Amino acid sequence: MDLSLATSQFTVLAFAGLLIMAAASDCRNLTVPNRFSLALVALYPSFVIAAGGTVDWLGGLICASAAFAIGFVLFALRLCGGADVKLFAAVTLWAGPALIVPMLIYTTMAGGLLALAMWFRHRLLRAATPTAVFFVKADPDFIKQPMPYGVAIAAGGFYVAFQLLAQLFARI
């Protein structure tokens, strides 16, 4: 096997591993430490170099910059957390223009499923019996409950990782 191909595969697997650690941290502490986003960004150049010119790194940089700028506005409006913005921008860097739309779709679907699971768990804990889960009076403070968006972002990132690995294995 070609050394550059093995290096590319290793960096994509490291990318996925960092996403797992970021999602786990967000589940535990409701925060994604900056070290994960920084590590994702720092790992990207080694992937670009090892891939040997097949990566649209400039397009990835533009997508990540746009994602960060939009995220900064959302953070300023208090609609999302700063750690989520940084993680999303880092994943967008890896997705680039070719994978950004499906990554957004997978991230959105994962976020919706996560919100639904949290809602159902909340209702189930308030219900006297499991069959009464849909008849429980809503808690007005539930909407203020923090959500680990890093998990949804990681799900979109896993899609990117699988696609990048598939592209690399296609070169074998």
Side-chain angles (χ1 to χ4, degrees):
M1 182 188 299
D2 183 11
L3 182 61
S4 65
L5 183 60
T7 304
S8 297
Q9 292 169 345
F10 175 77
T11 55
V12 173
L13 292 174
F15 167 70
L18 286 166
L19 288 174
I20 290 170
M21 290 188 290
S25 174
D26 205 16
C27 282
R28 273 192 316 271
N29 308 320
L30 291 173
T31 186
V32 179
N34 288 337
R35 67 179 174 265
F36 295 121
S37 299
L38 288 171
L40 289 170
V41 172
L43 188 62
Y44 186 68
S46 63
F47 173 70
V48 171
I49 292 167
T54 60
V55 177
D56 182 8
W57 64 268
L58 185 57
L61 192 58
I62 292 168
C63 289
S65 298
F68 187 77
I70 292 168
F72 183 80
V73 171
L74 293 173
F75 173 73
L77 295 172
R78 297 179 166 252
L79 295 174
C80 64
D84 298 323
V85 168
K86 290 177 267 188
L87 181 63
F88 186 77
V91 172
T92 303
L93 175 67
W94 283 78
L99 297 174
I100 191 166
V101 171
M103 184 210 65
L104 285 169
I105 292 169
Y106 277 93
T107 300
T108 303
M109 288 189 321
L113 288 173
L114 182 61
L116 186 61
M118 289 177 68
W119 173 83
F120 189 75
R121 180 182 175 274
H122 172 76
R123 299 288 288 223
L124 191 59
L125 291 174
R126 291 176 53 89
T129 63
T131 55
V133 72
F134 296 106
F135 304 105
V136 175
K137 184 176 177 178
D139 180 4
D141 290 331
F142 175 72
I143 196 77
K144 298 174 187 171
Q145 180 178 351
M147 186 172 133
Y149 288 110
V151 174
I153 296 166
F158 291 142
Y159 170 80
V160 172
F162 288 132
Q163 291 302 312
L164 293 175
L165 283 174
Q167 292 170 7
L168 290 171
F169 281 114
R171 289 182 10 195
I172 295 178

